[in-house]
Amino acid sequence: MTEATSPENLRKFIKQVNFHGQTEEARPRDGMTEDSRNLRKFLESDDPAMVMMGLSMAKTSEVPDDLLPLILSYYMWHDDKTIRAAAKSTFIKLA
């Protein structure tokens, strides 16, 4: 596996690109609700406890479509098996 295709680099790329292929800078922020902004902050955190809290929040709230690839990437490639399991449960519930 090359450095460009490492799980960490893939996670960073998926964080930058939303579901429709727009970079984060191109995505309008003004249409997002406060809840979806908070959810994004939790899910994009580097702290595993914050990510777990974000995955828990995602199960009970409306999740923007552009966060589904991020949740899927956690399910497929996250180093922590607890986060992978929580992301799997969340993704299956939402998808």
Side-chain angles (χ1 to χ4, degrees):
M1 180 180 326
T2 66
E3 187 175 321
T5 60
S6 72
E8 183 60 31
N9 286 338
L10 289 171
R11 265 196 295 276
K12 287 179 184 176
F13 177 74
I14 290 172
K15 282 182 183 180
Q16 292 175 349
V17 178
N18 72 11
F19 188 72
H20 302 289
Q22 295 174 321
T23 61
E24 208 167 291
E25 294 80 29
R27 184 176 47 246
R29 292 283 188 171
D30 54 318
M32 292 179 63
T33 65
E34 186 66 30
D35 288 340
S36 60
R37 276 192 215 105
N38 287 336
L39 180 59
R40 179 177 301 282
K41 287 178 189 176
F42 279 99
L43 289 174
E44 292 180 346
S45 173
D46 291 332
D47 180 11
M50 297 291 279
V51 173
M52 287 294 292
M53 188 175 286
L55 290 169
S56 178
M57 289 169 55
K59 285 184 180 179
T60 61
S61 64
E62 189 169 325
V63 177
D65 286 342
D66 65 327
L67 286 179
L68 289 177
L70 177 61
I71 294 170
L72 177 62
S73 74
Y74 288 156
Y75 165 36
M76 300 298 289
W77 298 300
H78 202 280
D79 295 331
D80 186 334
K81 69 179 182 178
T82 308
I83 291 178
R84 282 195 312 267
K88 176 183 180 181
S89 169
T90 303
F91 184 77
I92 290 173
K93 183 174 192 252
L94 296 173

